[in-house]
Amino acid sequence: MKTFELGYFGNIWVKQNVLELAGESFDGHEHKFDHVTLLVSGKVSVQIKDNPPKEFTAPTFIVIRKEHQHKITALEDKTIYYCVYALRDLDGNAMEIFGDQHDPEYAATRSAGYWEKVKELEAT
């Protein structure tokens, strides 16, 4: 399995996961908050805790509830899915982060001195 941290915008984080071969899996883990998994190609089996697995075929999305151990297994080669979730602070509040990595208008849409003001505010 390959994982690629693609980045963020506002309070949304996106992580790509690639399961090259049928049978590959992302072993079970759990999260502190609900999130969505976007299945963009292939087919997966998702097992929540000790429940029977459920199959999903792309294109679709899968809701992963907080504090539920889940395991995702590819049922087809070249399965790709994205974990999409809100960035949160330790208290569970959504937090926003902006950057230029994925924004083609980033530099053009900010007034002169904008980022210096943001850094000043963050320092206080």
Side-chain angles (χ1 to χ4, degrees):
M1 180 183 128
K2 298 176 189 172
T3 300
F4 305 94
E5 300 287 341
L6 291 185
Y8 53 83
F9 179 77
N11 74 330
I12 302 298
W13 185 263
V14 180
K15 179 172 74 170
Q16 181 187 53
N17 299 279
V18 179
L19 300 169
E20 294 287 343
L21 302 172
E24 280 188 274
S25 66
F26 184 68
D27 288 333
H29 67 279
E30 60 185 69
H31 303 276
K32 293 185 183 210
F33 305 99
D34 294 348
H35 80 276
V36 172
T37 296
L38 299 174
L39 180 61
V40 296
S41 68
K43 186 174 182 178
V44 296
S45 169
V46 179
Q47 185 171 10
I48 305 293
K49 297 186 177 183
D50 294 327
N51 297 326
K54 184 173 180 180
E55 294 182 5
F56 296 87
T57 303
T60 192
F61 70 92
I62 305 158
V63 176
I64 304 295
R65 300 288 180 190
K66 69 178 181 178
E67 300 172 355
H68 284 71
Q69 179 99 5
H70 59 283
K71 179 179 181 179
I72 299 175
T73 303
L75 299 177
E76 295 180 357
D77 292 350
K78 300 188 193 283
T79 293
I80 300 172
Y81 65 93
Y82 293 84
C83 293
V84 180
Y85 52 92
L87 295 170
R88 299 181 184 273
D89 63 20
L90 295 176
D91 296 322
N93 301 310
M95 52 189 262
E96 294 192 3
I97 302 173
F98 296 93
D100 65 347
Q101 183 179 4
H102 301 284
D103 185 352
E105 295 185 20
Y106 177 78
T109 60
R110 305 294 185 243
S111 59
Y114 176 86
W115 293 110
E116 288 77 14
K117 290 177 187 174
V118 168
K119 288 178 184 175
E120 285 176 24
L121 290 171
E122 289 175 346
T124 60

